[in-house]
Amino acid sequence: MIRSVAVPLIDDFAMFEFGVVCEVFGLDRSYAGIEPFDFRVCAIEPGVPIPNPTGAPIIAPYGLEAMDDADLIAVPAARIRDEYPPELIDALRRAADRGAILLSVCSGAFILGAAGLLDGRKVTTHWRYADALARRFPAADVDADVLFVDDGNLITSAGTSAGVDASLHLVRRELGSATANTIARNMVVPPQRDGGQRQYIERPVPDCTDDTFTELLTHLTENLDENHTVSALAERVHMSTRSFSRRFVAETGVSPMQWLTTQRILHARLLLETTDLPVDEVARQCGFASATLLRHHFDAEVGVAPTRYRAAFARSEPALTPAS
């Protein structure tokens, strides 16, 4: 469970990537039923303005010692350099040694690499820097084609908005889908841009630019329990099946059935977390023909069986049973 989050800043840090972790972990969303994180912005010299390319310096109220008991260390992007402050490197190594979760956004991966924390791990960074990261840290397995990589206690993300994806994935992994969905809804971003977040997301899925498809996806998410076929969906938007399939992939990055399966698994996760519905009924409400089919897809996408997922993420308070 993530309760405390420390964000170390150095000079020439990236304001947007810093803002991403502030937005996900630093805001008080108790109004939405989410317990606030103990959020600490840290620096080598607390109270001293830290310059960044925007020309608006930031003052961190905490020293690096605030990292020593934080559950999560979130490292924003910063200017890539040959050497990083030894005080920060030491603090990151201590955090890794005690088992803290480490999250990097964009070029923040270089800082973790300088601390020796990428060796033997699968990682990513912004595509512009991927070759440089691989050259500098040859013991790391760098994948430039993903939004983020989840390698247990180490999560690395690609550039800019991929930090949102990685952060929300981490919230979902540690605190459950309901919390991640609430944060995403308040940020007005998709809670998950692609299915299959078992270890990493393989391709970004853009928001729809065509109102026809926006309306269709809304219809599908509101009627997951119905039987949908590609030909029926094509007919609904007055296209041939071939044209529809091609346009759907262009708009979402995945096939219609892949997209639908992802949404059904997302809904299944939420029902498993927040209700006492039997797995058979969860399968029915999510549009799977049987509990066996749900288990197959759930294990493929999430990496565990539905019952094990429920045991790990079910809320402790009395569950709700929605109307069928």
Side-chain angles (χ1 to χ4, degrees), residues 211-220 233 236-237 244 248:
D211 288 343
T212 298
F213 280 89
T214 299
E215 293 173 4
L216 176 65
L217 298 188
T218 299
H219 168 75
L220 289 175
L233 296 177
R236 184 181 180 87
V237 294
F244 170 75
F248 196 98

Side-chain angles (χ1 to χ4, degrees), residues 257-297:
M257 291 301 103
Q258 285 176 302
W259 187 93
L260 192 56
T261 297
T262 293
Q263 301 309 309
R264 285 171 167 162
I265 292 298
L266 278 173
H267 190 50
R269 292 171 77 158
L270 187 61
L271 291 179
L272 290 167
E273 292 171 19
T274 60
T275 77
D276 288 328
L277 291 171
V279 173
D280 285 345
E281 180 61 16
V282 171
R284 189 193 69 78
Q285 291 198 18
C286 295
F288 291 106
S290 67
T292 300
L293 194 59
L294 167 63
R295 292 186 187 99
H296 170 75
H297 287 292

Side-chain angles (χ1 to χ4, degrees), residues 104-110 112 118 121-127 129-130 133 140-151 154-159 162 166 200-201:
S104 69
V105 183
C106 193
S107 61
F110 284 81
L112 297 181
L118 302 186
R121 312 295 290 269
K122 186 167 184 177
V123 300
T124 193
T125 188
H126 193 291
W127 59 268
Y129 310 134
L133 187 70
D141 180 6
V142 180
D143 188 342
D145 297 324
V146 298
L147 282 176
F148 65 84
V149 176
D150 178 344
D151 193 9
L154 176 68
I155 297 180
T156 53
S157 66
Y200 54 86
I201 287 184

Side-chain angles (χ1 to χ4, degrees), residues 6-204:
V7 184
L9 295 181
I10 57 176
D11 62 285
D12 290 336
F13 70 92
M15 184 68 83
F16 183 92
E17 284 78 354
F18 170 56
V20 165
V21 294
C22 290
E23 180 72 24
V24 176
F25 301 104
L27 297 186
D28 184 347
R29 292 192 172 92
S30 53
Y31 62 85
I34 297 176
E35 183 178 348
F37 296 98
D38 176 2
F39 190 74
R40 314 162 187 172
V41 180
C42 312
I44 297 171
E45 296 182 274
V48 176
I50 306 171
N52 67 83
T54 68
I58 293 292
I59 295 176
Y62 294 93
L64 295 183
E65 66 276 3
M67 297 170 55
D68 288 341
D69 64 348
D71 301 320
L72 167 65
I73 311 298
V75 183
R79 175 177 56 84
I80 299 171
R81 59 205 78 186
D82 293 333
E83 296 183 355
Y84 292 90
E87 300 94 330
L88 176 57
I89 297 302
D90 289 342
L92 288 170
R93 288 171 177 164
R94 290 196 303 270
D97 287 344
R98 64 179 174 79
I101 299 172
L102 304 172
L103 166 70
S104 69
V105 183
C106 193
S107 61
F110 284 81
I111 304 175
L112 297 181
L117 304 178
L118 302 186
D119 293 355
R121 312 295 290 269
K122 186 167 184 177
V123 300
T124 193
T125 188
H126 193 291
W127 59 268
R128 288 175 54 198
Y129 310 134
D131 288 344
L133 187 70
R135 288 194 302 269
R136 184 173 296 193
F137 308 109
D141 180 6
V142 180
D143 188 342
D145 297 324
V146 298
L147 282 176
F148 65 84
V149 176
D150 178 344
D151 193 9
N153 71 324
L154 176 68
I155 297 180
T156 53
S157 66
T160 320
S161 61
V164 176
D165 299 291
S167 297
L168 289 175
H169 165 74
L170 180 57
V171 171
R172 177 176 288 105
R173 192 188 82 180
E174 298 294 319
L175 301 175
S177 296
T179 299
N181 291 350
T182 297
I183 293 175
R185 185 166 57 251
N186 280 270
M187 291 176 64
V188 198
V189 297
Q192 180 175 320
R193 283 201 288 170
D194 192 15
Q197 295 186 354
R198 182 175 185 179
Q199 289 298 323
Y200 54 86
I201 287 184
E202 294 187 344
R203 53 191 174 276

